[in-house]
Amino acid sequence: MKSVLDGIVGALTGILSGFGVGGGTLLVLYLTLFTKTAQRTAQGINLLYFLPTAGAALVGHIKNRMVEKSAFWWAGGCGVLTTAVSAILIGKLPTEFLRRGFGVFLIVIGITELCSKKSVEANREMGYNEKNKKRRR
């Protein structure tokens, strides 16, 4: 039964990841809160989980012309570099620090999203029609 629930949670967070909602963050919360997985292990699982979900979402976004290639290369390059440095650093940090840092991160992101109107403006810039939620071509 636990495997079925894990599969359902994986599928649902995969769908959210495809929409760019942050399914990996929800996966870490599920693993740490409900399955009592250690924080480091949950974050490691999330990194592995991210590879196929990000690849699948990227294919869809490229197909829909929603990826700015110049930004992709800069962000990707910087992301790979800082990820490598962070992976080395994380092994030296206490688990409690990681848990608290992750919690603060979630609170800051939540408050930022609640107080931000940028998402509506960004959709307008990308050509989305607010009435029917479809992208103009």
Side-chain angles (χ1 to χ4, degrees):
M1 185 64 173
K2 181 182 176 308
S3 297
V4 172
L5 181 60
D6 290 345
I8 291 169
V9 170
L12 292 174
T13 55
I15 290 168
L16 292 173
S17 292
F19 291 140
V21 174
T25 301
L26 296 175
L27 181 65
V28 170
L29 288 173
Y30 168 75
L31 290 170
T32 56
L33 296 176
F34 297 105
T35 68
K36 304 299 182 202
T37 303
Q39 185 76 26
R40 279 195 177 105
T41 304
Q43 288 175 318
I45 291 168
N46 185 43
L47 290 173
L48 286 173
Y49 168 88
F50 180 75
L51 294 173
T53 57
L58 182 60
V59 169
H61 288 313
I62 289 172
K63 181 180 175 186
N64 292 325
R65 295 184 212 122
M66 296 175 66
V67 175
E68 187 177 326
K69 291 179 181 157
S70 63
F72 169 78
W73 290 112
W74 275 104
C78 292
V80 167
L81 178 65
T82 55
T83 300
V85 171
S86 299
I88 293 167
L89 179 64
I90 201 168
K92 301 176 188 314
L93 296 173
T95 302
E96 188 58 31
F97 178 80
L98 297 175
R99 282 183 172 272
R100 290 179 190 265
F102 187 67
V104 169
F105 169 76
L106 290 178
I107 291 168
V108 169
I109 294 298
I111 290 170
T112 302
E113 286 298 313
L114 287 173
C115 298
S116 175
K117 292 184 181 182
K118 286 186 178 183
S119 61
V120 172
E121 293 167 10
N123 283 340
R124 277 193 210 128
E125 288 176 16
M126 291 190 65
Y128 284 98
N129 183 328
E130 291 178 3
K131 288 184 181 176
N132 63 12
K133 305 291 186 208
K134 290 185 179 178
R135 188 168 185 209
R136 294 182 303 235
R137 294 195 185 222

